[in-house]
Amino acid sequence: MRACLSLFIGFWVLASAWAADGPGLAPIGAVTGVDRDDRGLRLTCAGGSIVQLTVLAPDLVRVRALFAGRPAAPDHSWAIAKTEWAAVPWQLQEQAEAITLVTAELEVVVRREPLLIEFRDAATHRLINADARPMARDPATGRLEVAKRLGVDERFYGLGEKAARLDHRRGRFTMWNSDTPGYVEGTDPIYQSVPFYLGWEEGAAYGLFYDNARRSTFDLGQSGQEAAVYAVEDGDADYYFIAGPGMKKVLGRYTELTGRMPLPPLWALGNQQCRYSYYPDSLAEAIVRRYRREELPLDVLYLDIHYMNGFRDFTWDPQRFPDPAGLLARLQALGVKVVTIVDPGVKYQPAAAGAPREAHYAVFDEGMAGDYFLRRRDGSLWIGEVWPGKAVYVDYTRAEARRWWGDQHRALLDPGVAGIWDDMNEPSDFTDQTGRSQHDVVFDDLGAHTPYAANRNVFALNMVRATYEGLERLRPDRRPFILTRAGYAGVQRYAAMWTGDNNATWDSLALNIPMFASLGLSGETFVGADIPGFIGRASAELLVRSYELAFLAPLCRNHAAIDNYDHEPWRFGPVYTDIIRDYLRLRYRLLPFLYTTLEEAHRTGVPLFRPLVLNFQDDRNTLNLDDAFMVGDALLAAPVLRPGVRGREVYLPAGPWYDYWTGERIAGGRLLWVEAPLERVPLFVRGGSVLPSTDPMHYVGEHAWDPVRFDIFPDDQGGAAGTLYEDDGVSPAYRQGAFRRTAVNCSRGADGGWRVVLPAPAGHYEPGPRHLELAVHGAAAAVAVTLDGQALAARTEADATAGWWRDATGVMRVRLADDARPHEIQFR
Ligand code: MIG
């Protein structure tokens, strides 16, 4: 009886929670009519709502519900990169109870009454995803909901930048770009909004992208265990369903739809140093010289807001930086590029027509003359407050405004700035960070004149677009590099991102892995976090352990808040600097591998920084694993994430693995205890991979990659395969085929001998004369080595000419000239 009563009460509480969730939600009406055209179906519903199902690809179907009573909105999204899709065959099956749209991969079943949509695998008819209840909208507020059945063992990944663990099951998340300094695990929302997630059930994945930029929430089983509920304030229910079952395949489609990262300049993979703020110019230069004196690699120095004249965008402080071109040239001579911060808040500086020149701020004047700044419904300027005091914001939804903003970057590029750092673009406004008092700001939005609520989440996307297009126009022979804080789905087309104002704490360090991984599972591959945390005082140990993670992150950048203790790599003394130097040098050694993996992300949408589940989605031990990560398919890192810890457990999925440090071959499919003294991050190479590398250098381009090394780590059958991608690293010529792809394939013959084949490289980039070096790990001593059938001479390591030797650790190595011709090497 007691149990019964509490059960009843429990149910009552739950039921009222649902009611509170949407008192006025009215379910969409039953299907009353079906029209088809060549791209899909248009369903008419009782009550006048329309549901459009559009087949974009065999595994990609768009569902758009146009609710009755809502004014028709133009079909436009700032997130979508591809709107033209080649027609693919599909069939319509009409049954009494349902309508089914069948593509080569998917069955989309629409139950007529109530209207419920299911996605099934076309081959097996297995249910992938289904509505838990009909889509619904509150006619009074415009709020709408889509509820999907929540599988007992369903997992959720992605959702862009979330201060949360990897598997989002049972979580609730809001999409509303927010300036959240010092965020911790659980702070939500933070800077970016990417309303896309990957679901995983029984080894099969699918993707759901809810493309509506207004404030939305994802309740993935937090307030009830029968539905994963998406709710959005207003607008259309507009979502894309992507069939897997491979997570990589889903990501490929998602990034085909929302765009992929263009290749950044290679130097963006170099080590970067930032601070709030380095000034005057002599201090900025001293930091770079210190890097060189310490023999620490460095490619980029950032200038934070104090380089500007009174925090005015596109100006230089005449006292602190009297000669920007001179400074930048001196840094360039040391191999260092400069990236400058740009904030969206333009100083509000009205000056009377006859006022002296000093009273004018050209950027404000021009913006006013062009009417580029955002206004409220009553026509008044939206005047917010940021660093320069009162500030106005550009309407980046207008093409002319974007072009004008892009052109402003001339003031930075002309003296030699190499990249742009777009901060505060949530957009942050000190007068009100919630957006509530900006609700009456109107955006042009292609003439639709939509409210702030529909535009806040895409503000940064449009700002970095303006910046990217400006940089492309001003320097057509250079690849733009832009770093952004806020963003929306598709932001990867224009900018790299960093995770904002994190803390210099162990918790914050640990959060890097699920955050980078989730971003990668949301289309954003070029990501990083402030090393060792923006806010707070780091210990030497935290700094070192941070580098032991970040040396493998796409963006590797040290940064600190204005009132922080300094934490550049040398601040705690040589014992620590030496360890950090080793990791930075290792990063530069691995640049060929990192760049190859980055190019894969550019081409396929599969990220560089990966959670293990992305490479091993059938291995249930990886579903929750976010204290380790992989770079590409080949490298697994298990950083130490707690103070005082000098060893840890590492889970290695099936397969042979190799300890990166010792070369020892290790069986996978098990937990392993690994020693991790301060100077050591547990690092493993997956059997079957080929890792390209070169010698370390102080900055990208200091030397050519010579030799290019291929470390071959055979699997159980003796096989291994890998590639190296390279190009000029700076220009867009790679888009026209100016790259070189060198493949390496290793196999083991029945006689126990090894065979390494290098086909002729692809592409027409010419890296210049150099040597290739091949190493087969775990191969027994050879007695004879042939190159293209000719005996190859045994040599010592010191001898630079072609030949073979066994190195000090017993690994077989071969050196040959890289003549861009196919080769075959045999060991016996
Ligand atoms: O905190 O420009 O996230 O990286 O150093 C206030 C100053 C504004 C926030 C950025 C941070 C940057 C800082 N900015």
Side-chain angles (χ1 to χ4, degrees):
M1 180 67 210
R2 263 286 241 325
C4 234
L5 188 68
S6 65
L7 243 176
F8 172 78
I9 292 174
F11 185 77
W12 181 81
V13 168
L14 258 167
S16 50
W18 293 332
D21 218 26
L25 284 174
I28 198 160
V31 178
T32 55
V34 180
D35 293 305
R36 67 174 289 176
D37 64 22
D38 55 335
R39 297 316 303 249
L41 303 181
R42 185 184 157 91
L43 310 176
T44 313
C45 309
S49 298
I50 304 286
V51 176
Q52 294 170 342
L53 300 179
T54 313
V55 180
L56 302 176
D59 56 1
L60 177 63
V61 173
R62 180 181 180 192
V63 177
R64 190 167 177 234
L66 307 167
F67 280 88
R70 183 179 140 66
D75 183 11
H76 171 260
S77 161
W78 299 104
I80 302 294
K82 177 168 174 171
T83 51
E84 301 298 320
W85 296 77
V88 293
W90 58 276
Q91 281 90 44
L92 169 64
Q93 297 164 2
E94 286 206 61
Q95 300 97 346
E97 318 247 286
I99 305 130
T100 306
L101 184 162
V102 186
T103 74
E105 293 184 40
L106 267 177
E107 279 173 5
V108 186
V109 182
V110 184
R111 311 258 167 225
R112 293 179 198 258
E113 185 167 14
L115 194 167
L116 293 168
I117 303 175
E118 292 172 9
F119 297 91
R120 292 178 176 271
D121 183 307
T124 63
H125 310 290
R126 190 183 62 84
L127 182 66
I128 309 171
N129 182 269
D131 284 347
R133 40 184 191 258
M135 292 184 273
R137 178 171 181 271
D138 182 339
T141 64
R143 176 188 149 87
L144 55 92
E145 258 191 30
V146 181
K148 299 291 186 184
R149 278 193 346 217
L150 173 59
V152 176
D153 196 27
E154 196 168 15
R155 312 299 176 116
F156 301 99
Y157 304 103
L159 291 183
E161 186 192 34
K162 289 295 168 198
R165 300 290 299 273
L166 179 66
D167 177 6
H168 296 329
R169 178 182 174 82
R170 293 293 191 162
R172 184 175 188 279
F173 304 93
T174 296
M175 299 295 167
W176 190 244
N177 292 2
S178 300
D179 181 356
T180 48
Y183 68 87
V184 294
E185 181 181 338
T187 305
D188 185 75
I190 58 171
Y191 309 96
Q192 300 210 358
S193 297
V194 184
F196 165 76
Y197 68 76
L198 281 148
W200 178 104
E201 217 180 352
E202 300 302 326
Y206 64 86
L208 268 171
F209 172 40
Y210 288 94
D211 189 16
N212 180 332
R214 291 176 190 253
R215 185 202 292 264
S216 59
T217 56
F218 288 81
D219 187 335
L220 303 175
Q222 203 219 41
S223 59
Q225 52 184 319
E226 61 297 291
V229 184
Y230 160 81
V232 63
E233 261 181 3
D234 204 349
D236 294 326
D238 189 355
Y239 70 87
Y240 296 80
F241 185 84
I242 307 172
M247 291 176 105
K248 292 177 180 173
K249 174 171 175 273
V250 174
L251 283 177
R253 269 296 183 227
Y254 172 70
T255 54
E256 185 178 3
L257 183 65
T258 60
R260 297 189 182 130
M261 169 197 69
L263 273 181
L266 180 54
W267 54 259
L269 278 176
N271 183 39
Q272 314 196 7
Q273 180 67 51
C274 186
R275 201 192 197 307
Y276 179 14
S277 301
Y278 288 132
Y279 66 85
D281 52 359
S282 55
L283 175 65
E285 189 172 341
I287 293 291
V288 171
R289 292 196 183 278
R290 180 69 187 259
Y291 257 96
R292 290 295 172 248
R293 203 162 67 238
E294 298 280 356
E295 299 262 316
L296 288 158
L298 182 71
D299 264 276
V300 185
L301 186 82
Y302 284 70
L303 296 180
D304 207 324
I305 53 175
H306 293 90
Y307 80 89
M308 294 185 251
N309 183 8
F311 306 126
R312 289 173 188 84
D313 284 324
F314 309 116
T315 67
W316 295 86
D317 183 303
Q319 267 82 48
R320 292 168 179 156
F321 293 88
D323 176 20
L327 170 71
L328 271 44
R330 291 195 299 282
L331 300 187
Q332 182 67 48
L334 296 167
V336 170
K337 315 271 188 304
V338 168
V339 173
T340 49
I341 199 168
V342 171
D343 284 349
V346 173
K347 185 177 177 70
Y348 175 74
Q349 190 179 329
R357 247 188 97 228
E358 318 80 73
H360 284 273
Y361 169 31
V363 178
F364 179 79
D365 287 349
E366 282 179 30
M368 286 301 288
D371 198 16
Y372 299 139
F373 300 127
L374 286 163
R375 293 180 181 276
R376 296 181 189 271
R377 209 176 298 120
D378 65 7
S380 64
L381 280 177
W382 162 29
I383 302 177
E385 196 188 318
V386 216
W387 307 116
K390 285 185 174 182
V392 289
Y393 301 80
V394 172
D395 185 355
Y396 298 110
T397 66
R398 280 177 59 196
E400 323 84 85
R402 283 201 301 276
R403 190 177 177 96
W404 169 75
W405 183 260
D407 287 346
Q408 297 305 310
H409 291 82
R410 209 187 298 272
L412 302 171
L413 300 201
D414 281 355
V417 166
I420 299 297
W421 174 22
D422 281 339
D423 188 21
M424 306 288 278
N425 47 6
E426 295 70 34
S428 183
D429 175 356
F430 301 155
T431 65
D432 181 1
Q433 293 290 16
T434 69
R436 245 170 258 131
S437 58
Q438 294 107 7
H439 72 277
D440 60 340
V441 171
V442 180
F443 285 66
D444 180 84
D445 201 6
L446 303 182
H449 301 285
T450 53
Y452 185 86
N455 287 282
R456 176 168 168 126
N457 284 344
V458 290
F459 182 90
L461 173 66
N462 287 320
M463 180 195 190
V464 295
R465 174 175 172 183
T467 306
Y468 185 91
E469 290 171 355
L471 264 46
E472 264 193 330
R473 269 196 315 278
L474 295 171
R475 295 282 182 278
D477 59 338
R478 291 281 176 267
R479 303 175 195 169
F481 176 71
I482 299 161
L483 184 65
T484 187
R485 194 169 71 176
Y488 182 71
V491 70
Q492 66 273 6
R493 303 202 295 273
Y494 310 113
M497 66 83 66
W498 94 107
T499 57
D501 297 347
N502 60 352
N503 299 302
T505 62
W506 292 93
D507 283 346
S508 192
L509 174 62
L511 208 48
N512 282 338
I513 300 176
M515 286 185 78
F516 298 173
S518 299
L519 281 155
L521 296 178
S522 310
E524 290 186 64
T525 207
F526 209 106
V527 302
D530 291 349
I531 304 167
F534 182 66
I535 297 169
R537 181 168 180 145
S539 65
E541 189 187 4
L542 179 65
L543 183 68
V544 168
R545 292 301 197 188
S546 297
Y547 275 105
E548 290 180 3
L549 189 163
F551 86 103
L552 290 174
L555 179 82
C556 179
R557 188 182 80 147
N558 183 307
H559 186 31
I562 190 163
D563 48 359
N564 255 36
Y565 186 71
D566 301 283
H567 51 218
E568 292 93 350
W570 56 83
R571 288 286 172 188
F572 295 92
V575 169
Y576 303 102
T577 315
D578 288 351
I579 304 174
I580 295 168
R581 182 184 304 104
D582 284 346
Y583 281 96
L584 290 177
R585 285 167 65 88
L586 181 52
R587 180 178 177 89
Y588 280 72
R589 275 182 207 280
L590 290 173
L591 274 182
F593 170 60
L594 293 174
Y595 194 52
T596 298
T597 311
L598 196 70
E599 190 274 339
E600 183 188 345
H602 152 72
R603 189 166 29 85
T604 67
V606 178
L608 179 153
F609 190 102
R610 302 182 189 172
L612 272 68
V613 67
L614 182 55
N615 285 339
F616 298 94
Q617 76 176 65
D618 295 323
D619 180 345
R620 287 174 172 270
N621 296 308
T622 67
L623 297 179
N624 262 316
L625 224 160
D626 58 12
D627 66 354
F629 63 93
M630 289 190 69
V631 177
D633 281 320
L635 212 53
L636 187 155
V640 170
L641 305 167
R642 290 286 154 216
V645 169
R646 296 295 179 263
R648 59 163 285 180
E649 306 246 293
V650 178
Y651 176 71
L652 294 178
W657 294 80
Y658 294 80
D659 182 311
Y660 180 82
W661 304 108
T662 64
E664 187 198 343
R665 199 178 150 109
I666 304 163
R670 63 192 177 109
L671 274 175
L672 204 71
W673 177 262
V674 185
E675 298 298 328
L678 185 60
E679 70 280 6
R680 174 76 39 114
V681 58
L683 204 57
F684 302 88
V685 187
R686 185 178 178 182
S689 24
V690 175
L691 215 56
S693 68
T694 189
D695 287 339
M697 48 190 92
H698 296 97
Y699 55 90
V700 167
E702 186 188 25
H703 311 294
W705 290 349
D706 184 17
V708 168
R709 259 182 218 104
F710 290 103
D711 280 286
I712 299 169
F713 297 91
D715 63 19
D716 284 337
Q717 287 71 49
T723 57
L724 166 72
Y725 172 86
E726 46 190 337
D727 58 28
D728 68 24
V730 288
S731 86
Y734 70 96
R735 295 180 187 274
Q736 272 73 51
F739 60 81
R740 180 184 280 192
R741 203 183 302 279
T742 308
V744 176
N745 297 301
C746 174
S747 57
R748 189 159 196 194
D751 58 353
W754 299 87
R755 189 166 158 253
V756 180
V757 174
L758 288 106
H764 54 75
Y765 170 69
E766 279 298 332
R770 64 175 178 192
H771 282 88
L772 304 179
E773 212 179 280
L774 301 157
V776 185
H777 293 259
V783 289
V785 177
T786 60
L787 170 62
D788 303 324
Q790 306 291 308
L792 195 64
R795 302 225 180 262
T796 63
E797 183 154 12
D799 187 340
T801 56
W804 67 274
W805 70 97
R806 256 164 94 77
D807 73 13
T809 63
V811 173
M812 286 294 308
R813 293 186 182 269
V814 176
R815 184 180 292 141
L816 63 154
D818 182 9
D819 55 10
R821 284 210 278 270
H823 291 292
E824 181 175 327
I825 296 128
Q826 303 223 23
F827 299 73
R828 228 167 268 113

